[in-house]
Amino acid sequence: MIAHPGSEVRVLIRSRPTANFAQELIEYLPDGQTVSVHQRKDSRKGVVNNQLSSWSFRLDGVLHDVSQEEVYGRVGRGVVLGALEGYNGTVMCFGQTGAGKTYTMTGATENYKQRGIIPRALQEVFHEVEQRSDHAFSVHLSFLEIYNETLVDLLASVRGCPGVGPGGMAVVEEAGGGVSVRGLSLHPVHSEEAALNLLFEGEMNRIIGAHALNKNSSRSHCILTVHIESRSRTLSDAKYVTSKLNLVDLAGSERLGKTGSEGQVLKEAMYINKSLSFLEQAILALADRRRDHVPFRQTKLTHALKDSLGGNCNTVLVANIYGEASQIEETLSTLRFASRMKCV
Ligand code: ADP
Ligand code: MG
């Protein structure tokens, strides 16, 4: 079950359930991997046009009408188990606001069955740590928000937190090719419950911070990172093995309306476009095995994930779509992004 890392990114589609699912426009093929989208050809200028344009996208899986448990099993578990073996991993949700990214990553935490990938991953990490008594583990959490290329520590409010030192927060390169975020607090956690409490605190800070600055929380990227360190208890000369598991709720990918966007909204959209387009370029370049030319430093998102994408890492992207007819343009754009990640 452990996903052995390859340079390829696994891409799955998840659609948010809706009573108005546009069956005539979105078709999931029986292979469980292909989605076809049919769109009415341009019917502007009052000309009624019933012709359809069609596109097919083949990905690694379609999660339509599936439980949170199944989503975790197909998306999260392999990456989590890989991280416990020492492989860095990243699970990311991508798509327009309202498509179900946060539901997929965090879920409805008050309802056990509807917990998302993050709480299930935390549960599995601590379960495995307990099982694997031949290893000593230490687990830390950090929770980073990226808003308009500014880094925010979502756990800075935790008691005893050292606070950001001089120079502020920054992504810094480490010897050996890794990266870390200077000034981002790392919190030791010894139980699932303690980890969940940090998750709640961070999510609350995301909302409070957005409110205070009058910004829209769907306009930021959030990265919860589980830092895992382990060492064999049986081998006397055992080395420490470290890994990072990044669980990422990306900013909404929706494009701006053609008119009327200005000021803050426009600025947010420009930063999001830039970071998502460099994320795509980084993933494509990684698949090309030309690591030297990967444009990681262009945005904070790719820089912070530099050591956890491609190469020796497990990377899974969930493309969340909202299958109502009125959203078909955004759905197409999300599916195009998703399939470009596969076409390498
Ligand atoms: P996003 O984070 O992409 O903006 P959300 O995760 O907040 O979207 O989802 C929008 C709404 O749809 C929320 O009320 C969420 O509970 C609901 N929702 C999304 N996906 C699902 C799903 N698979 N099953 C049930 N409800 C969902
Ligand atoms: Mg959200």
Side-chain angles (χ1 to χ4, degrees):
M1 186 68 217
I2 297 166
H4 279 288
S7 55
E8 218 174 277
V9 174
R10 287 180 61 226
V11 183
L12 294 97
I13 298 187
R14 185 180 202 194
S15 63
R16 173 181 165 185
T18 161
N20 302 318
F21 182 73
Q23 264 173 320
E24 69 290 2
L25 303 182
I26 302 174
E27 191 187 350
Y28 295 115
L29 303 194
D31 66 358
Q33 284 189 287
T34 310
V35 48
S36 292
V37 177
H38 313 289
Q39 193 188 27
R40 285 189 193 92
K41 280 193 178 150
D42 195 353
S43 55
R44 277 175 302 178
K45 297 172 195 156
V47 180
V48 179
N49 187 336
N50 287 323
Q51 278 182 300
L52 294 175
S53 302
S54 297
W55 293 269
S56 271
F57 304 94
R58 189 156 188 272
L59 299 131
D60 295 296
V62 172
L63 305 166
H64 181 57
D65 219 357
V66 302
S67 66
Q68 293 283 67
E69 185 180 7
E70 183 173 346
V71 170
Y72 177 71
R74 292 185 54 191
V75 173
R77 180 164 291 131
V79 185
V80 171
L81 296 179
L84 286 156
E85 299 289 331
Y87 296 108
N88 290 351
T90 300
V91 178
M92 288 181 281
C93 282
F94 170 85
Q96 73 179 109
T97 298
K101 296 180 297 298
T102 303
Y103 184 83
T104 299
M105 287 316 299
T106 305
T109 31
E110 67 285 356
N111 178 328
Y112 199 72
K113 272 195 166 163
Q114 289 183 34
R115 290 171 311 144
I117 290 172
I118 294 174
R120 288 169 198 271
L122 293 171
Q123 180 182 37
E124 183 130 54
V125 165
F126 287 103
H127 176 77
E128 288 297 315
V129 163
E130 233 167 73
Q131 298 293 306
R132 302 179 186 203
S133 51
D134 54 337
H135 278 72
F137 283 90
S138 87
V139 180
H140 288 73
L141 285 192
S142 63
F143 207 172
L144 175 70
E145 181 181 37
I146 306 175
Y147 174 72
N148 287 2
E149 291 297 281
T150 307
L151 304 175
V152 179
D153 183 351
L154 290 176
L155 296 178
S157 63
V158 175
R159 207 149 26 116
C161 194
V164 181
M169 291 174 70
V171 182
V172 291
E173 308 257 342
E174 289 172 342
V179 286
S180 65
V181 180
R182 186 186 69 212
L184 179 65
S185 59
L186 279 184
H187 300 265
V189 271
H190 304 287
S191 69
E192 178 191 345
E193 195 194 352
L196 286 179
N197 286 338
L198 289 175
L199 171 67
F200 296 145
E201 177 143 358
E203 304 236 293
M204 197 55 80
N205 286 335
R206 184 186 191 186
I207 294 163
I208 294 169
H211 194 73
L213 294 175
N214 193 23
K215 71 188 192 195
N216 182 340
S217 67
S218 72
R219 311 273 74 199
S220 65
H221 308 297
C222 278
I223 307 177
L224 182 87
T225 306
V226 187
H227 306 253
I228 302 172
E229 187 179 86
S230 69
R231 186 168 186 257
S232 167
R233 291 187 206 268
T234 49
L235 301 169
S236 56
D237 60 344
K239 292 201 177 70
Y240 284 98
V241 176
T242 60
S243 61
K244 289 194 282 189
L245 168 65
N246 300 288
L247 304 164
V248 187
D249 191 345
L250 291 170
S253 60
E254 59 274 11
R255 284 124 350 126
L256 290 176
K258 287 191 178 63
T259 53
S261 297
E262 51 183 12
Q264 183 183 342
V265 173
L266 185 64
K267 189 172 165 190
E268 289 170 342
M270 279 163 37
Y271 279 118
I272 294 169
N273 278 350
K274 185 178 170 212
S275 57
L276 294 177
S277 113
F278 276 104
L279 175 66
E280 177 181 342
Q281 287 186 41
I283 287 179
L284 294 186
L286 279 168
D288 218 7
R289 296 183 185 280
R290 290 176 303 163
R291 224 165 210 281
D292 295 352
H293 304 284
V294 181
F296 285 117
R297 288 154 176 256
Q298 300 285 349
T299 70
K300 298 282 194 296
L301 177 68
T302 48
H303 203 187
L305 293 175
K306 180 183 173 195
D307 57 5
S308 302
L309 293 173
N312 204 27
C313 315
N314 291 304
T315 313
V316 184
L317 180 75
V318 179
N320 288 97
I321 63 169
Y322 189 25
E324 295 203 349
S326 60
Q327 304 299 317
I328 201 73
E329 285 289 341
E330 290 298 341
T331 294
L332 260 177
S333 144
T334 299
L335 291 173
R336 285 190 180 118
F337 182 91
S339 70
R340 285 199 299 274
M341 300 293 196
K342 288 308 305 174
C343 289
V344 289

